[in-house]
Amino acid sequence: MPSRAAPARRSGGSGGSGGGFRRIVAAAVAGFLLSVAVSCGSDDDTSPEPAAGAWPLTGVDAAGADLARPALAVKIENSAAARPQSGLNAADVVWEQVVEGGISRFVAVYHSTLPPAVGPVRSVRPMDPPIAAPLRGLLAFSGGQAPFIDATRAAGLQVVEPGTGPGFSRSADRAAPHNTYADPTALLGQADDAHRSPPPAQFAFGADPSAVASGVPAGRLDLALSAIAEPRWTWSAAEGVWLRAEGGVPALGADGAPLRATNVVVLRVDVVDTSFTDAAGNPVPETVLVDSGEALVATGGHTVEATWSKASVGEPVVLTLADGSPVTLAPGTTWVELVPNGSGSAAVG
C-alpha cells in the first residue's frame, strides 16, 4: 500500500481535562442524531443491503434462525497476560486498535453466534463509539474514563459494564485486571426498548468477492500497528480462512482453536493524542475514524487495494474500489485492522 499523508486531527484543550475531549463527544452526539434519522427512513443510510435470510454482519445464510436480536460489541484485551482469549472466533466482526503503550485491543461484535463466555473484558477507549455506533446495539466494557463512557452513550449505544446488571464474572485462573469475563446472552438480556433491533449490515457480501474477482494472489499479510503489536495473517487454502499470528507465533483461542477470519480488512488511519492519560500516566491515543483513507481487503487468498470513508460516528465504514464500485466480501467473519499512518505498516507476501 502506498503511503498516505493525511492531516492529523488533534484535540483541543490541555492537560488531562475533559476540554480536549469535547470534539469526540460532540461528534458522537452528531453521529447518534444521524443514526436516529437513518433508522427513521433517511435516504442517507450508507449501510449495505443485507441478503434476505442472511445474518447481516456475516452474510451467511441464517437457516431460519431468529435474526431479531441486537448486536453486542465487547471490548477485549490483547496483552500477553490476556492470551489466550475466549470467544474471538465466535465474533462476526473483530476490530483491532492501538491503545496506550502501543498494545492493541479488540472490539469483538457478536450477533449470529453467542459463545458462553468472552474475555478478558477491558475498559472503553475513545474510538470505540464510532466502531460500535453503526450497530445500534450494546457496548460492553469493564469501566473507563467518564468522558469516554459519556461519548459511548452520546453515540446512541447502550452501555453494559460490571454493576449495571448480570453477565460479568471474575476468573480464578487469571490475575486482575485480566480476569473479567462476560456471558453475551446475559448481557443481551439487558437490552432496553431502544436497543433490541438487529444491526444493519456493515459490509457488502457476495459470491464473487472483490479481492478474488479483481485483486492479486496473496498468501500473507504482515501488519504493524506499533512496535509491539504486529499481527500476521496467513492464508490457509485447505481451510479456506486467514489464520492469525501474534509476533510470528500462531494465535490460539482459549479452546485451543487457531484464530481465523474469512476476510481481513486493513484501514490506514490517523492516530492522535486525546490529552488524556491512563492510570500509569501513558497518553491515551484516539484512532480517527470519521475520516477517509487507504484500505487493503484480503479474501480467498487474494488482496485488493481500496479506499475507506466514514461520514459520521453513526454511519458504517464504506469500502470502495478504484473504479468507484463497492467492495464485496465473502460471506463469513471479518477482522478489521486499524493500522496507523506513518508509524504503522502493511505488507503483502
Side-chain angles (χ1 to χ4, degrees):
M1 297 172 66
S3 62
R4 170 180 175 267
R9 291 169 169 78
R10 299 202 173 269
S11 301
S14 61
S17 71
F21 198 65
R22 281 196 296 266
R23 174 183 58 80
I24 303 172
V25 178
V29 172
F32 172 53
L33 293 176
L34 176 60
S35 71
V36 171
V38 166
S39 67
C40 292
S42 167
D43 293 334
D44 296 330
D45 191 349
T46 57
S47 301
E49 188 67 30
W55 292 103
L57 302 184
T58 65
V60 173
D61 184 5
D66 183 5
L67 304 178
R69 63 174 173 249
L72 170 70
V74 184
K75 195 63 181 286
I76 295 181
E77 187 180 7
N78 190 38
S79 67
R83 302 174 194 148
Q85 298 95 335
S86 297
L88 287 175
N89 274 339
D92 291 349
V93 185
V94 179
W95 295 69
E96 185 171 17
Q97 60 187 224
V98 174
V99 296
E100 54 273 17
I103 64 172
S104 73
R105 285 188 181 172
F106 303 130
V107 176
V109 181
Y110 299 92
H111 185 241
S112 66
T113 302
L114 301 180
V118 299
V121 180
R122 291 302 298 270
S123 53
V124 69
R125 289 297 182 274
M127 47 280 196
D128 297 337
I131 288 173
L135 300 165
R136 306 173 194 167
L138 296 80
L139 177 59
F141 47 81
S142 62
Q145 298 191 49
F148 303 163
I149 299 175
D150 291 344
T152 301
R153 291 194 173 96
L157 293 159
Q158 181 178 344
V159 168
V160 283
E161 56 181 326
T164 63
F168 291 94
S169 61
R170 294 276 190 177
S171 170
D173 299 329
R174 298 280 182 94
H178 317 290
N179 63 345
T180 299
Y181 287 78
D183 174 356
T185 299
L187 298 188
L188 285 171
Q190 301 176 46
D192 59 30
D193 290 344
H195 298 91
R196 290 180 180 157
S197 298
Q202 303 295 291
F203 304 104
F205 297 96
D208 192 23
S210 299
V212 177
S214 57
V216 296
R220 196 174 75 193
L221 298 179
D222 288 305
L223 308 178
L225 281 69
S226 73
I228 59 174
E230 298 180 321
R232 171 183 293 172
W233 292 93
T234 302
W235 174 247
S236 171
E239 299 180 71
V241 294
W242 296 93
L243 298 177
R244 180 180 172 91
E246 298 276 3
V249 178
L252 306 176
D255 60 358
L259 298 186
R260 61 189 60 210
T262 306
N263 309 283
V264 180
V265 176
V266 180
L267 308 184
R268 298 307 302 265
V269 295
D270 287 334
V271 178
V272 300
D273 181 22
T274 61
S275 79
F276 285 81
T277 58
D278 67 7
N282 299 306
V284 176
E286 176 197 1
T287 302
V288 180
L289 285 175
V290 181
D291 200 357
S292 62
E294 292 179 349
L296 184 70
V297 178
T299 304
H302 292 70
T303 62
V304 65
E305 293 186 358
T307 59
W308 70 271
S309 62
K310 181 173 167 66
S312 74
V313 170
E315 290 188 81
V317 166
V318 176
L319 298 171
T320 308
L321 296 172
D323 63 4
S325 61
V327 170
T328 300
L329 305 182
T333 60
T334 301
W335 280 60
V336 183
E337 300 281 5
L338 301 176
V339 177
N341 286 312
S343 61
S345 64
V348 179

